[in-house]
Amino acid sequence: MSGQIINGRVYDANNNLINTANVLFKDAAKTTLIQEFTPVKKGVFTISLKKKYTAIVVEVQVNGFVIPTQVIENPELLKNYNLEFRILNEQKINLKEVVILAKKKAFEIVEDTVKYNVEAYRDGSERKIDDIIKKLPGITVEPNSGKIKYKGKEIETVTLEGDNLFGYNYTVGTKNINVDMVDQVQAVDHYAENALLKGIEQNDKVSLNLTLKKGRLDFSGDITSGLGLFDKGKIAHDDSATLLGITKNFKSFGTLNYNTIGKNTSPFDYSGFNLNPEELRERDINATKIIPETMFSSALGNERANINNQFFGNFNSIFKIGKQLSIKTNGYYIRDRIVRNELVENQFQINNQSFATSDYTSIIKKPEQYRGDLEIKYTMSKNSSLEYTSRIKEESITTPINILRNEMDVFSSNLTSRDILFRQRLLWTNKLSENKAIQGSFYQATNYRPQKLALSPSVFNSGNGIDTQESAFRKNYLEGAFKFFGAIKKNKYEFNLGSILDENPFSSNLISDNNQNSANRFNYVQQSIFLSTNYHFNKGKWRISPRGSIRYLLQNRNDDVTNQNDVQRNFIFEPSLSASYRISTLASLNASMGYKQLNNSEAFLFQNLILVNNRVSYSNTPSLELQKRQLYSLDYTRNDLFNQFEFIADINFQKVKGNFFSNAIITENTTIINNFFLPEWTNDLSANLRVSKYIPFLESTYKLTSTFNYSNFKNIVNNSELRSNEINFFRNELFFKTAFDFALNFESTSIFQNSVAKSQGQQQQFTNSSFQETFSVLVRPFKRWKWTASADYFLPNSEDKSVDFLFLNSRFDYQAKQNKWRIGVELKNLFNEKNFEQIQNNDYSTIIFRSTLLPRYFLVTFSWNF
């Protein structure tokens, strides 16, 4: 049962609300003990008490001032109490010298910022600041993309001493900045990079800010050299260097990394192709890549399955020229060589027919990327600014593959992909008054993605000759827009008027044994004019935000091969509504609903066959029909840092009418897929739960993360009728970690996954389940000595317990005084597991997948900070 709800205001001697203070709640029977606590923000506080009191003693703490204590006698449950406090006089005290022996607070709250003190969360196992961020309460980091969320909301960026040095590619900083350099990680609510819009724009953005330790200004950095051996004597490397420079008008961070132990220190994932936060935001300006690159995903993670040889270099800098001009540059270079051997066996059950296929492949992927970014910010006056950003990128990926098909046929293929991008944006902001502002923007991007696949021998001419598949998408993107921002007291509104021109020419040629088998040449153009408006109504604990968008969309697909010219015009209205209720300073409830109409990807608009590997060919039945989506969501968030308790629950439902479905013709040697559009309904339901709590008497932190997803889709397999398919997926992760104040601590992560698939007309369900347990022991016999041992157990198929995997790792570290240098010895995969195998079932096949792993190795590392 809830206790009392206490609302209050705190005034200074001039009857003005003060900015910040702390309110303490005590029981009259034990006035030496603080029972509960809440901060004062802008002179106001509110709290729902959880404990029972004989009489409530309420104290307000403001440095240097005296405020009389108030007492609530015989407090009644569920009753609201309204209190007012006023400063009486300034209190002057002559303080004697005090020696503080207590540990530094783990965090402190100052207005909209939570300041986490890094030392309070260290156990000695951390190398980079990313290792600390993962441990901070209220913050989560996605393991594959590196995307960071704070209180369930994706952050905008990670700034360094207040400057946005990394942009959306903030993983460059979090993966490479040495943890010894950082004093605090600050989580900032209502983050606004453009100061002219502060207080005018409805701002729910969040960011992280890294503050450096004293003495880390000017120039500092670290150098790490790691050298060792793999199982068969091959040299293992893990070398890195970082340089940090901070002066009055200059700030920079650079890093060089070279490793062969599976680590990815860059923001670009060439192993599993997980998109980083920047790539997710800029998908609209990227051309489509028709022939997919080989993905090296693994349930074990990159550092076990990524057999690499990566070099990565990055340099970021900000120059401030006077008070009006700043110039930011970012440079990237990455080169890698990723190797894997794979065996894929399929047991097909289709239309009462059974057959098996197998492919043993030896793959080498060699990506290389050059990239440079430029940002110029010019303050024209105190009320106006101009920003220009640009990027140029050139990327090439070469992938030679050798294939043994069905233990009989030998193929050799080579895929070459290029990605050339230039984009630029001009943004003008003018603050018209204290509560009005206008922005004008111009965005232009050109992206060219040619690909060439050479396959020998031909799959079309009975094993003779060579198949050559060429394809190239180009995207020319132009956008111009004006935004008007306004505020009426606490209410915020926004109008957006603009136009987009999106041109996508495509060409492909399939040549088999010097004869053209298939060709595509078309141009797909989208032209749109849009008007959107948002209004954010803020009243008390409520915020209600209706949104609306009106779009005129013209689509034109002109096919030179078939001489078809398809045109579709649509007037599109897209309304949405969201509401948020702030239950307390710690908890909120949010709900939203919306309707969208989307055009389909250009990847579904080519008509004739394209060969993508030795087995699979794709074609489409093009359509310009729109996809209609209904979106609903509900979430509850509670983040109580003082009691170290976090609870996040959300449920999301999406109903889609219209999509491309596949018609697959599968034989022992080939798979031919045709994608076609149908105005059919499909549904997707997901629910997520995250609970985290520190239990003081056990000195342990526990985290439970659960995910459930239901989805349905339709397909045709080997001329069957259109089938409805359902997939239910559940994932449960339990984590605990001890924080004993002695030499021995433990950490455990248990993950259970289960998916169930079913197809219409089939009573049999296809189940895939797996279990993974990671258990670590941390021993610190002395302050500067640390030994870590971990065991990873993986059961890829819970129904077949005869196939499982156990990985044992060990690491020893010694850190010198003042953290100037560190030496470590690491042994990984001590049992030398060389292959990983997993079985997956779907509605028409059973797949056995086996891939190579990084072999056993030991590594000696030496790190020096300067």
Side-chain angles (χ1 to χ4, degrees), residues 595-763:
Y595 175 75
K596 289 183 175 294
Q597 296 188 58
L598 304 174
N599 49 297
N600 294 285
S601 167
E602 308 88 72
F604 295 113
L605 297 182
F606 68 86
Q607 184 165 338
N608 296 320
L609 209 65
I610 289 181
L611 179 69
V612 299
N613 58 42
N614 66 298
R615 281 190 180 274
V616 181
S617 302
Y618 281 99
S619 65
N620 301 293
T621 303
S623 173
L624 300 181
E625 292 294 321
L626 298 181
Q627 184 184 96
K628 299 175 175 61
R629 293 187 183 184
Q630 300 175 27
L631 307 165
Y632 306 89
S633 69
L634 178 67
D635 69 80
Y636 170 80
T637 301
R638 182 177 180 84
N639 189 22
D640 186 352
L641 285 175
F642 293 97
N643 291 308
Q644 298 189 60
F645 174 72
E646 179 188 27
F647 182 94
I648 299 176
D650 65 72
I651 185 168
N652 304 275
F653 178 70
Q654 178 176 266
K655 190 173 184 179
V656 179
K657 183 179 182 180
N659 210 336
F660 274 86
F661 303 99
S662 64
N663 179 6
I665 305 298
I666 303 173
T667 69
E668 293 183 2
N669 294 325
T670 63
T671 298
I672 300 176
I673 298 174
N674 176 261
N675 298 302
F676 59 96
F677 184 89
L678 283 180
E680 297 281 338
W681 286 100
T682 57
N683 302 322
D684 187 273
L685 174 68
S686 66
N688 302 280
L689 174 68
R690 175 182 168 85
V691 183
S692 175
K693 181 72 175 82
Y694 175 75
I695 302 177
F697 74 92
L698 295 176
E699 297 185 75
S700 302
T701 298
Y702 292 82
K703 294 180 184 179
L704 174 66
T705 306
S706 296
T707 300
F708 171 77
N709 181 264
Y710 164 82
S711 60
N712 65 358
F713 64 95
K714 294 177 170 62
N715 66 356
I716 298 173
V717 180
N718 284 12
N719 297 317
S720 67
E721 295 182 352
L722 184 67
R723 309 183 311 166
S724 295
N725 306 279
E726 298 179 357
I727 297 178
N728 292 282
F729 174 79
F730 174 74
R731 185 181 190 274
N732 194 71
E733 178 178 335
L734 178 63
F735 168 89
F736 87 84
K737 182 177 183 178
T738 63
F740 303 139
D741 196 17
F742 51 84
L744 187 65
N745 277 286
F746 306 96
E747 182 177 313
S748 171
T749 302
S750 304
I751 301 174
F752 173 74
Q753 292 187 165
N754 184 71
S755 65
V756 178
K758 185 178 180 180
S759 183
Q760 183 183 28
Q762 297 184 9
Q763 295 183 352

Side-chain angles (χ1 to χ4, degrees), residues 433-452:
S433 66
E434 287 301 314
N435 56 9
K436 291 183 177 64
I438 190 171
Q439 269 190 341
S441 65
F442 174 77
Y443 197 2
Q444 182 268 329
T446 299
N447 188 207
Y448 180 49
R449 282 184 159 182
Q451 294 182 283
K452 182 177 181 179

Side-chain angles (χ1 to χ4, degrees), residues 350-408:
I350 304 175
N351 299 338
N352 298 319
Q353 294 182 345
S354 300
F355 58 93
T357 66
S358 68
D359 286 286
Y360 180 81
T361 58
S362 178
I363 309 165
I364 301 174
K365 183 190 293 183
K366 295 182 286 186
E368 185 174 29
Q369 181 186 153
Y370 300 86
R371 171 177 151 177
D373 296 353
L374 173 67
E375 178 185 271
I376 302 174
K377 290 186 176 182
Y378 178 65
T379 302
M380 304 168 67
S381 68
K382 67 176 183 178
N383 291 324
S384 63
S385 66
L386 194 64
E387 300 177 22
Y388 174 78
T389 60
S390 66
R391 176 187 308 152
I392 186 167
K393 179 184 82 170
E394 181 168 0
E395 173 191 86
S396 64
I397 305 175
T398 303
T399 312
I401 304 176
N402 293 315
I403 310 120
L404 174 62
R405 186 182 70 182
N406 297 338
E407 300 182 351
M408 294 175 57

Side-chain angles (χ1 to χ4, degrees), residues 270 282 285-289 368-372 391-397 416-424 444-451 471-477:
Y270 288 107
E282 297 186 353
I285 69 168
N286 291 325
T288 301
K289 187 182 289 187
E368 185 174 29
Q369 181 186 153
Y370 300 86
R371 171 177 151 177
R391 176 187 308 152
I392 186 167
K393 179 184 82 170
E394 181 168 0
E395 173 191 86
S396 64
I397 305 175
T416 302
S417 302
R418 296 183 66 201
D419 187 346
I420 302 170
L421 170 70
F422 174 73
R423 74 148 181 85
Q424 57 184 340
Q444 182 268 329
T446 299
N447 188 207
Y448 180 49
R449 282 184 159 182
Q451 294 182 283
S471 75
F473 250 121
R474 183 188 297 273
K475 179 180 283 285
N476 300 310
Y477 184 90

